[in-house]
Amino acid sequence: GAVVSQHPSRVICKSGTSVKIECRSLDFQATTMFWYRQFPKQSLMLMATSNEGSKATYEQGVEKDKFLINHASLTLSTLTVTSAHPEDSSFYICSAPANSGPEAFFGQGTRLTVV
Amino acid sequence: GNSVTQMEGPVTLSEEAFLTINCTYTATGYPSLFWYVQYPGEGLQLLLKATKADDKGSNKGFEATYRKETTSFHLEKGSVQVSDSAVYFCALLSSGGYQKVTFGIGTKLQVIP
């Protein structure tokens, strides 16, 4: 199947700093990618839809100025957590839909810890 | 909107026991259904899928049948192993062009020797 690579897998940052997470589709093009967040012992919740060449679409309750999404090419979407705080500590995961057929491919996820 | 209801865990089983994790869904149209597995410290992996009613997805001894009449997609395995310990997510993908995945809450499975 297709491969989505997400980097870094783990990151620890200080409160107030920004962290960038990359999501790449390695062997296919993705005009759309999705970013999810998983709180401890909870399910994955969609944060935003990343659209190549246009603005991201954010789900209700997600701060677009805090979670900056850029989808500058057909194979790369980035999520930047700006001015991170401990409550932003979570597991973030991206996905890209298959170009044909109903399926989604997921990255490995990023465990963010803000101290 | 779409939703997935999944039994909450944790589920603790002895090795070689039979596993069932229940999953029901609400969706418009004809969604595709999935089970994803998340091993400790790792991302999501697709375990199996079914794209239409009465389809059976299977992989690594796990099975799930798409039951439209009961809107269910229960995960089963006849004999679990310690290596099956993980979190299992039931999910659906809308039949429209907007391919956003909706997840259940996830069920943690712990298999003890």
Side-chain angles (χ1 to χ4, degrees), chain A residues 3-8 20-35 50-54 69-79 94-96:
Chain A
V3 177
V4 172
S5 176
Q6 186 173 341
H7 178 81
K20 180 185 284 188
I21 303 169
E22 293 187 348
C23 181
R24 294 181 184 273
S25 56
L26 295 188
D27 49 1
F28 67 107
Q29 294 181 335
T31 56
T32 300
M33 290 186 180
F34 300 99
W35 287 95
S50 174
N51 304 299
E52 188 269 336
S54 64
I69 290 173
N70 184 276
H71 196 150
S73 77
L74 289 172
T75 59
L76 174 65
S77 175
T78 60
L79 168 67
C94 66
S95 80

Short mmCIF file of all heavy atoms in Angstrom, two decimals, chain A residues 3-8 20-35 50-54 69-79 94-96:
data_model
loop_
_atom_site.label_atom_id
_atom_site.label_comp_id
_atom_site.label_asym_id
_atom_site.label_seq_id
_atom_site.Cartn_x
_atom_site.Cartn_y
_atom_site.Cartn_z
N VAL A 3 2.50 4.82 1.24
CA VAL A 3 3.20 5.14 2.48
C VAL A 3 3.09 6.62 2.79
O VAL A 3 3.33 7.46 1.92
CB VAL A 3 4.68 4.73 2.40
CG1 VAL A 3 5.41 5.14 3.68
CG2 VAL A 3 4.81 3.24 2.18
N VAL A 4 2.73 6.90 4.02
CA VAL A 4 2.74 8.26 4.53
C VAL A 4 3.77 8.31 5.65
O VAL A 4 3.71 7.52 6.58
CB VAL A 4 1.35 8.68 5.05
CG1 VAL A 4 1.43 10.03 5.75
CG2 VAL A 4 0.35 8.74 3.90
N SER A 5 4.70 9.21 5.53
CA SER A 5 5.79 9.33 6.51
C SER A 5 5.59 10.60 7.33
O SER A 5 5.43 11.69 6.78
CB SER A 5 7.14 9.36 5.79
OG SER A 5 8.19 9.56 6.72
N GLN A 6 5.65 10.46 8.62
CA GLN A 6 5.47 11.59 9.52
C GLN A 6 6.70 11.74 10.39
O GLN A 6 7.25 10.77 10.89
CB GLN A 6 4.22 11.36 10.39
CG GLN A 6 3.83 12.54 11.26
CD GLN A 6 2.50 12.31 11.98
OE1 GLN A 6 1.71 11.46 11.58
NE2 GLN A 6 2.26 13.08 13.03
N HIS A 7 7.11 12.99 10.57
CA HIS A 7 8.36 13.26 11.29
C HIS A 7 8.23 14.56 12.08
O HIS A 7 7.65 15.53 11.58
CB HIS A 7 9.52 13.38 10.29
CG HIS A 7 10.82 13.69 10.91
ND1 HIS A 7 11.63 12.74 11.50
CD2 HIS A 7 11.47 14.89 11.06
CE1 HIS A 7 12.70 13.31 11.97
NE2 HIS A 7 12.64 14.61 11.71
N PRO A 8 8.72 14.64 13.30
CA PRO A 8 9.39 13.58 14.05
C PRO A 8 8.38 12.64 14.71
O PRO A 8 7.20 12.95 14.78
CB PRO A 8 10.17 14.36 15.11
CG PRO A 8 9.29 15.56 15.38
CD PRO A 8 8.68 15.91 14.06
N LYS A 20 7.24 22.07 14.61
CA LYS A 20 6.72 21.75 13.28
C LYS A 20 6.72 20.24 13.08
O LYS A 20 7.73 19.57 13.34
CB LYS A 20 7.54 22.40 12.18
CG LYS A 20 7.04 22.09 10.77
CD LYS A 20 7.95 22.65 9.69
CE LYS A 20 7.78 24.14 9.53
NZ LYS A 20 8.53 24.66 8.36
N ILE A 21 5.61 19.74 12.59
CA ILE A 21 5.47 18.31 12.29
C ILE A 21 5.23 18.17 10.79
O ILE A 21 4.40 18.87 10.23
CB ILE A 21 4.29 17.69 13.07
CG1 ILE A 21 4.48 17.91 14.57
CG2 ILE A 21 4.17 16.21 12.76
CD1 ILE A 21 3.23 17.56 15.39
N GLU A 22 5.98 17.26 10.16
CA GLU A 22 5.86 17.07 8.72
C GLU A 22 5.13 15.78 8.39
O GLU A 22 5.32 14.75 9.05
CB GLU A 22 7.24 17.04 8.08
CG GLU A 22 7.98 18.35 8.13
CD GLU A 22 9.27 18.31 7.32
OE1 GLU A 22 9.69 17.21 6.93
OE2 GLU A 22 9.85 19.38 7.09
N CYS A 23 4.37 15.83 7.33
CA CYS A 23 3.65 14.65 6.85
C CYS A 23 3.86 14.56 5.34
O CYS A 23 3.50 15.48 4.60
CB CYS A 23 2.17 14.79 7.17
SG CYS A 23 1.15 13.40 6.65
N ARG A 24 4.48 13.47 4.91
CA ARG A 24 4.81 13.31 3.50
C ARG A 24 4.17 12.05 2.92
O ARG A 24 4.20 10.99 3.54
CB ARG A 24 6.32 13.18 3.30
CG ARG A 24 7.11 14.41 3.65
CD ARG A 24 8.60 14.20 3.41
NE ARG A 24 9.38 15.36 3.84
CZ ARG A 24 9.63 16.40 3.08
NH1 ARG A 24 9.16 16.45 1.84
NH2 ARG A 24 10.33 17.42 3.55
N SER A 25 3.61 12.20 1.74
CA SER A 25 3.16 11.02 1.00
C SER A 25 4.34 10.61 0.11
O SER A 25 4.79 11.38 -0.73
CB SER A 25 1.92 11.34 0.17
OG SER A 25 2.16 12.43 -0.71
N LEU A 26 4.84 9.41 0.31
CA LEU A 26 6.11 9.03 -0.31
C LEU A 26 5.98 8.54 -1.75
O LEU A 26 6.87 8.72 -2.55
CB LEU A 26 6.80 7.95 0.54
CG LEU A 26 7.23 8.39 1.93
CD1 LEU A 26 8.06 7.30 2.60
CD2 LEU A 26 8.02 9.70 1.89
N ASP A 27 4.91 7.89 -2.07
CA ASP A 27 4.82 7.32 -3.41
C ASP A 27 3.51 7.63 -4.10
O ASP A 27 3.10 6.94 -5.03
CB ASP A 27 5.02 5.79 -3.34
CG ASP A 27 4.15 5.14 -2.28
OD1 ASP A 27 3.38 5.86 -1.61
OD2 ASP A 27 4.24 3.92 -2.12
N PHE A 28 2.85 8.68 -3.64
CA PHE A 28 1.64 9.13 -4.32
C PHE A 28 1.43 10.60 -3.98
O PHE A 28 2.02 11.13 -3.04
CB PHE A 28 0.42 8.29 -3.91
CG PHE A 28 0.00 8.46 -2.47
CD1 PHE A 28 -1.14 9.18 -2.15
CD2 PHE A 28 0.75 7.91 -1.42
CE1 PHE A 28 -1.54 9.35 -0.83
CE2 PHE A 28 0.35 8.07 -0.10
CZ PHE A 28 -0.79 8.79 0.20
N GLN A 29 0.60 11.23 -4.75
CA GLN A 29 0.31 12.64 -4.53
C GLN A 29 -0.98 12.79 -3.73
O GLN A 29 -1.94 12.05 -3.96
CB GLN A 29 0.18 13.38 -5.87
CG GLN A 29 1.50 13.43 -6.62
CD GLN A 29 1.39 14.19 -7.93
OE1 GLN A 29 0.32 14.28 -8.51
NE2 GLN A 29 2.49 14.75 -8.38
N ALA A 30 -0.97 13.75 -2.84
CA ALA A 30 -2.12 13.94 -1.96
C ALA A 30 -2.52 15.41 -1.97
O ALA A 30 -1.84 16.25 -1.38
CB ALA A 30 -1.80 13.50 -0.54
N THR A 31 -3.61 15.72 -2.66
CA THR A 31 -4.08 17.10 -2.66
C THR A 31 -4.75 17.44 -1.33
O THR A 31 -4.88 18.61 -0.98
CB THR A 31 -5.08 17.33 -3.79
OG1 THR A 31 -6.15 16.39 -3.67
CG2 THR A 31 -4.42 17.14 -5.14
N THR A 32 -5.14 16.42 -0.61
CA THR A 32 -5.77 16.62 0.69
C THR A 32 -5.08 15.73 1.71
O THR A 32 -4.79 14.57 1.43
CB THR A 32 -7.27 16.25 0.64
OG1 THR A 32 -7.92 17.08 -0.32
CG2 THR A 32 -7.92 16.45 2.00
N MET A 33 -4.85 16.28 2.87
CA MET A 33 -4.35 15.50 4.00
C MET A 33 -5.14 15.91 5.23
O MET A 33 -5.67 17.02 5.29
CB MET A 33 -2.86 15.72 4.23
CG MET A 33 -1.96 15.13 3.16
SD MET A 33 -0.22 15.28 3.60
CE MET A 33 0.55 14.50 2.18
N PHE A 34 -5.21 15.02 6.18
CA PHE A 34 -5.96 15.29 7.40
C PHE A 34 -5.04 15.21 8.60
O PHE A 34 -4.14 14.37 8.67
CB PHE A 34 -7.09 14.26 7.56
CG PHE A 34 -8.08 14.27 6.43
CD1 PHE A 34 -8.00 13.33 5.42
CD2 PHE A 34 -9.10 15.21 6.38
CE1 PHE A 34 -8.91 13.33 4.37
CE2 PHE A 34 -10.01 15.21 5.35
CZ PHE A 34 -9.92 14.28 4.33
N TRP A 35 -5.29 16.07 9.57
CA TRP A 35 -4.54 16.06 10.83
C TRP A 35 -5.49 15.72 11.97
O TRP A 35 -6.55 16.33 12.13
CB TRP A 35 -3.89 17.43 11.07
CG TRP A 35 -2.73 17.68 10.17
CD1 TRP A 35 -2.72 18.35 8.99
CD2 TRP A 35 -1.38 17.24 10.38
NE1 TRP A 35 -1.46 18.37 8.45
CE2 TRP A 35 -0.62 17.69 9.28
CE3 TRP A 35 -0.73 16.51 11.40
CZ2 TRP A 35 0.76 17.44 9.16
CZ3 TRP A 35 0.62 16.27 11.28
CH2 TRP A 35 1.35 16.73 10.17
N SER A 50 -6.08 19.65 5.39
CA SER A 50 -5.04 20.40 4.70
C SER A 50 -5.26 20.28 3.20
O SER A 50 -5.37 19.18 2.67
CB SER A 50 -3.68 19.80 5.09
OG SER A 50 -2.64 20.38 4.36
N ASN A 51 -5.34 21.40 2.52
CA ASN A 51 -5.62 21.42 1.08
C ASN A 51 -4.43 22.03 0.33
O ASN A 51 -4.02 23.16 0.62
CB ASN A 51 -6.87 22.24 0.80
CG ASN A 51 -8.07 21.73 1.58
OD1 ASN A 51 -8.50 20.60 1.41
ND2 ASN A 51 -8.62 22.57 2.44
N GLU A 52 -3.91 21.29 -0.60
CA GLU A 52 -2.76 21.76 -1.37
C GLU A 52 -3.11 23.04 -2.12
O GLU A 52 -4.10 23.08 -2.86
CB GLU A 52 -2.29 20.68 -2.34
CG GLU A 52 -0.99 21.00 -3.05
CD GLU A 52 -1.19 21.72 -4.38
OE1 GLU A 52 -2.27 21.57 -4.96
OE2 GLU A 52 -0.27 22.42 -4.80
N GLY A 53 -2.34 24.07 -1.90
CA GLY A 53 -2.52 25.32 -2.61
C GLY A 53 -3.59 26.22 -2.09
O GLY A 53 -3.84 27.29 -2.67
N SER A 54 -4.24 25.85 -1.00
CA SER A 54 -5.27 26.72 -0.44
C SER A 54 -5.27 26.60 1.08
O SER A 54 -4.52 25.82 1.66
CB SER A 54 -6.65 26.38 -1.01
OG SER A 54 -7.02 25.07 -0.63
N ILE A 69 -1.28 25.22 9.52
CA ILE A 69 -1.14 24.13 8.55
C ILE A 69 -0.74 24.71 7.21
O ILE A 69 -1.35 25.67 6.73
CB ILE A 69 -2.44 23.33 8.44
CG1 ILE A 69 -2.66 22.53 9.73
CG2 ILE A 69 -2.40 22.40 7.23
CD1 ILE A 69 -3.99 21.84 9.80
N ASN A 70 0.28 24.09 6.62
CA ASN A 70 0.73 24.49 5.30
C ASN A 70 0.83 23.27 4.40
O ASN A 70 1.37 22.23 4.80
CB ASN A 70 2.10 25.17 5.41
CG ASN A 70 2.58 25.68 4.06
OD1 ASN A 70 3.15 24.94 3.28
ND2 ASN A 70 2.34 26.94 3.80
N HIS A 71 0.27 23.38 3.21
CA HIS A 71 0.28 22.25 2.27
C HIS A 71 0.81 22.78 0.95
O HIS A 71 0.07 23.00 0.00
CB HIS A 71 -1.15 21.72 2.13
CG HIS A 71 -1.25 20.36 1.52
ND1 HIS A 71 -2.27 19.48 1.85
CD2 HIS A 71 -0.49 19.72 0.62
CE1 HIS A 71 -2.12 18.37 1.16
NE2 HIS A 71 -1.06 18.49 0.42
N ALA A 72 2.12 22.99 0.93
CA ALA A 72 2.74 23.71 -0.17
C ALA A 72 2.96 22.86 -1.41
O ALA A 72 3.16 23.40 -2.50
CB ALA A 72 4.07 24.30 0.30
N SER A 73 2.97 21.54 -1.25
CA SER A 73 3.19 20.70 -2.42
C SER A 73 2.24 19.50 -2.35
O SER A 73 1.55 19.31 -1.35
CB SER A 73 4.63 20.21 -2.47
OG SER A 73 4.84 19.17 -1.53
N LEU A 74 2.23 18.71 -3.39
CA LEU A 74 1.32 17.57 -3.45
C LEU A 74 1.79 16.39 -2.60
O LEU A 74 1.10 15.37 -2.54
CB LEU A 74 1.16 17.12 -4.91
CG LEU A 74 0.35 18.07 -5.79
CD1 LEU A 74 0.43 17.64 -7.24
CD2 LEU A 74 -1.10 18.11 -5.34
N THR A 75 2.93 16.53 -1.97
CA THR A 75 3.43 15.42 -1.16
C THR A 75 3.79 15.84 0.27
O THR A 75 4.27 15.01 1.04
CB THR A 75 4.68 14.79 -1.80
OG1 THR A 75 5.69 15.80 -1.93
CG2 THR A 75 4.36 14.19 -3.17
N LEU A 76 3.54 17.08 0.64
CA LEU A 76 3.96 17.53 1.96
C LEU A 76 2.95 18.46 2.59
O LEU A 76 2.53 19.45 2.01
CB LEU A 76 5.31 18.26 1.87
CG LEU A 76 5.82 18.91 3.16
CD1 LEU A 76 6.09 17.84 4.22
CD2 LEU A 76 7.07 19.74 2.89
N SER A 77 2.57 18.11 3.81
CA SER A 77 1.76 18.99 4.64
C SER A 77 2.48 19.14 5.97
O SER A 77 3.05 18.17 6.48
CB SER A 77 0.36 18.41 4.86
OG SER A 77 -0.38 19.22 5.78
N THR A 78 2.45 20.34 6.53
CA THR A 78 3.09 20.57 7.83
C THR A 78 2.09 21.15 8.81
O THR A 78 1.22 21.95 8.43
CB THR A 78 4.30 21.50 7.72
OG1 THR A 78 3.87 22.77 7.22
CG2 THR A 78 5.37 20.93 6.82
N LEU A 79 2.24 20.73 10.05
CA LEU A 79 1.45 21.26 11.16
C LEU A 79 2.42 21.90 12.13
O LEU A 79 3.34 21.24 12.61
CB LEU A 79 0.68 20.15 11.86
CG LEU A 79 0.02 20.50 13.20
CD1 LEU A 79 -1.11 21.49 12.99
CD2 LEU A 79 -0.52 19.24 13.88
N CYS A 94 -1.23 12.26 11.01
CA CYS A 94 -1.76 12.76 9.74
C CYS A 94 -2.21 11.58 8.88
O CYS A 94 -1.78 10.44 9.09
CB CYS A 94 -0.72 13.58 9.00
SG CYS A 94 0.71 12.63 8.43
N SER A 95 -3.06 11.87 7.93
CA SER A 95 -3.46 10.84 6.98
C SER A 95 -3.69 11.46 5.62
O SER A 95 -3.93 12.66 5.49
CB SER A 95 -4.73 10.13 7.45
OG SER A 95 -5.88 10.89 7.15
N ALA A 96 -3.60 10.62 4.62
CA ALA A 96 -3.89 11.03 3.25
C ALA A 96 -4.79 9.99 2.62
O ALA A 96 -4.56 8.78 2.79
CB ALA A 96 -2.60 11.14 2.44
#
